[in-house]
Amino acid sequence: MSTPHQPAPPPQPGTSGFARVLDRTFGHPSGVLGRLGGWAMARGNAATEHRVVDLAKIEPDETVLVVGPGPGVGLDAAARLAGRAVGVDPSPEMLGLCHERCGDRAELREGSAAHTGEPDDSVDVVLSVNNVMLWDDRAAAFAELFRVLRPGGRLLLSAHEKWLPVSRHVLADEAAAAGFADLQTWTWEPPGFAALAAQLRAVKPA
């Protein structure tokens, strides 16, 4: 059973009603449960969100795309540094929470890692925290993120290691297959009771 700090991975077909409740709360947030999940994610993931933003070394003239911003903690931090910040999430509830947190500092739209709605070569940085486990087609997602990044742009991912669908090294291989280079992967232990994070950095070749 997940703690309130750790959003659960999406349930597999045929799982229990309790698992479906967890999915509506954390995996694919919707309704009142989704807003409660957003509150829990904002508290439990905040340290990791801020760490990923720090690692990105965002410049004031850069555009940042946050994939699956959830309640918007990392998106808000990135938006305060970047010239333009965009958040894409399939959940209207999460986009609502992002708007409440970020106001006009960030552009928001329904979307996903595989369908960002961004033009080619339009983004300097892509950030994603605890979202890669929800990508239905990781090859398509990595290809899309490669497409929207400008040459020299960077990708930073972080996810609870125990909920990854594959190892972080396999994720790095999948990113490389999409064209990314300079891949680095490591683990990081957030403060408090949050789960160990697997993190990945990659660059689109210039």
Side-chain angles (χ1 to χ4, degrees):
M1 177 176 175
S2 301
T3 71
H5 299 290
Q6 302 170 1
Q12 299 301 310
T15 51
S16 68
F18 179 63
R20 288 192 293 272
V21 168
L22 287 178
D23 182 52
R24 288 179 58 198
T25 307
F26 297 118
H28 299 85
S30 62
V32 174
L33 288 173
R35 292 185 68 86
L36 289 173
W39 176 83
M41 285 186 276
R43 290 176 58 86
N45 294 335
T48 303
E49 297 272 10
H50 284 286
R51 174 176 171 79
V52 168
V53 170
D54 289 344
L55 290 171
K57 296 181 170 29
I58 298 165
E59 298 292 336
D61 61 345
E62 290 187 317
T63 294
V64 177
L65 171 66
V66 180
V67 176
V73 173
L75 177 61
D76 186 49
R80 293 175 185 275
L81 299 172
R84 175 176 176 246
V86 181
V88 295
D89 199 298
S91 167
E93 283 76 15
M94 292 301 100
L95 292 174
L97 290 176
C98 282
H99 181 69
E100 291 174 13
R101 186 179 299 274
C102 300
D104 295 331
R105 288 187 295 277
E107 302 171 30
L108 301 169
R109 71 172 69 101
E110 288 192 36
S112 65
H115 304 282
T116 66
E118 282 293 300
D120 294 354
D121 303 333
S122 61
V123 171
D124 299 287
V125 182
V126 173
L127 307 177
S128 185
V129 174
N130 291 333
N131 188 252
V132 67
M133 61 277 280
L134 302 175
W135 297 359
D136 295 329
D137 186 338
R138 291 193 306 278
F142 279 122
E144 169 74 354
L145 301 181
F146 187 87
R147 179 187 69 80
V148 302
L149 276 168
R150 295 187 177 104
R154 56 241 189 241
L155 166 70
L156 286 106
L157 302 180
S158 181
H160 297 310
E161 187 174 47
K162 68 180 180 178
W163 289 334
L164 283 177
V166 295
S167 74
R168 58 190 171 91
H169 302 292
V170 171
L171 281 180
D173 290 341
E174 292 175 348
F180 285 99
D182 299 331
L183 285 121
Q184 301 172 328
T185 182
W186 63 93
T187 58
W188 181 68
E189 187 170 354
F193 299 101
L196 185 70
Q199 301 184 325
L200 179 149
R201 184 182 188 276
V203 175
K204 180 174 179 175

